[in-house]
Amino acid sequence: MVIESGPVHSFAIGDGYGVYRGPTADSAFHRHAAFQIAVAERGEITMMAPTGTRHHGEALLVAPMMRHRLLATEDLHTFYVEPQCVSADRLRALVEQAARSGRGGSGIIAAPELSGFRASDLAGPSPSGELDPRLVTALNLLRDGTVTLPELPALVGLSPQRLRALAREQVGMPLARWRIWAQLRRATEALGAGESLAAAAITAGFADQAHFTRRMREMMGLTPAVVLAALSDQSRCAT
């Protein structure tokens, strides 16, 4: 599903990824459950780590669950790549390489090799070749909203303790955090299908619209209103 609102304002969501292009204001500190590639269309972008360190570059890569804030940018292309997808394997390697060289302590990495990155560079929905396939199955089941957390271990053939440990070791987050990310994905899909903010929040399992907005700001640095604005622009352009 692609949401276009003109040449420099769009939002897209696909199998294992999300893409936003457009202006951004200063964000609050937040943490994604996915890798983030942020690419400046002109000049550089700036991100700040919780320590106050500023990172600049044409393209910055942020590892999952690393707190950061993005400073205002006139035209940003940002990609959210879910960790269970094959496209994330390349990004994991870049993060590990940066850590070995001492550049990745904050989880924010200057990645000039990604400055020309586009959605067409995503490798499709194939599963990661590095993660335990049982964990990949668990993440996909939670993403699709087909099972609850207590049901999950038996469905993938692991004990609850082992599944929790795999999630922390291989994707760096508890499964409960991933479940919130999955809810955000489902809510965004509902907006793309024409539901209101309030209805999309309920569809995805949030308590209400305010809960949806708060979680999206905490985990993506965007708000549902930004997505809805892109949809509204798309509708106006189509008429």
Side-chain angles (χ1 to χ4, degrees):
M1 174 186 66
V2 179
I3 304 163
E4 290 281 356
S5 60
V8 293
H9 191 182
S10 62
F11 188 89
I13 188 167
D15 196 346
Y17 70 89
V19 182
Y20 171 76
R21 183 182 178 189
T24 61
D26 287 359
S27 70
F29 280 105
H30 58 281
R31 298 186 296 174
H32 311 293
F35 289 91
Q36 181 186 19
I37 304 168
V39 180
E41 292 299 303
R42 296 182 297 277
E44 291 188 335
I45 52 176
T46 301
M47 285 186 185
M48 186 179 293
T51 59
T53 301
R54 295 190 177 209
H55 300 261
H56 311 273
E58 294 177 63
L60 299 176
L61 172 63
V62 186
M65 301 309 295
M66 295 296 178
R67 290 187 75 236
H68 64 286
R69 61 183 293 250
L70 176 68
L71 302 190
T73 305
E74 288 186 4
D75 194 359
L76 174 75
H77 224 136
T78 188
F79 304 84
Y80 307 98
V81 182
E82 294 181 350
Q84 82 279 13
C85 299
V86 68
S87 295
D89 291 344
R90 175 191 177 190
L91 305 181
R92 240 184 304 274
L94 290 175
V95 169
E96 291 168 2
Q97 181 182 8
R100 287 193 298 270
S101 66
R103 296 185 297 113
S106 67
I108 304 171
I109 301 155
E113 62 268 50
L114 297 176
S115 60
F117 195 90
R118 291 295 181 265
S120 58
D121 295 318
L122 293 164
S126 299
S128 165
E130 297 181 358
L131 302 186
D132 188 298
R134 297 165 296 181
L135 176 59
V136 171
T137 299
L139 295 175
N140 284 331
L141 287 171
L142 283 178
R143 190 192 67 180
D144 296 339
T146 55
V147 300
T148 64
L149 279 174
E151 295 171 325
L152 200 56
L155 290 173
V156 299
L158 292 170
S159 69
Q161 296 84 357
R162 181 56 184 150
L163 182 56
R164 284 196 298 267
L166 269 180
R168 290 187 178 275
E169 290 166 7
Q170 296 194 359
V171 295
M173 74 188 84
L175 289 170
R177 191 72 177 176
W178 175 257
R179 182 179 58 180
I180 297 170
W181 180 265
Q183 287 178 280
L184 290 173
R185 179 189 179 86
R186 293 197 299 275
T188 302
E189 289 173 336
L191 288 176
E195 294 190 17
S196 67
L197 287 172
I202 299 304
T203 294
F206 292 107
D208 52 31
Q209 181 178 329
H211 186 205
F212 174 27
T213 298
R214 185 167 64 252
R215 288 302 195 187
M216 181 171 271
R217 187 181 292 114
E218 289 172 358
M219 293 193 76
M220 294 186 74
L222 297 172
T223 67
V226 170
V227 176
L228 193 60
L231 281 166
S232 297
D233 288 348
Q234 163 72 9
S235 178
R236 284 194 295 271
C237 289
T239 56

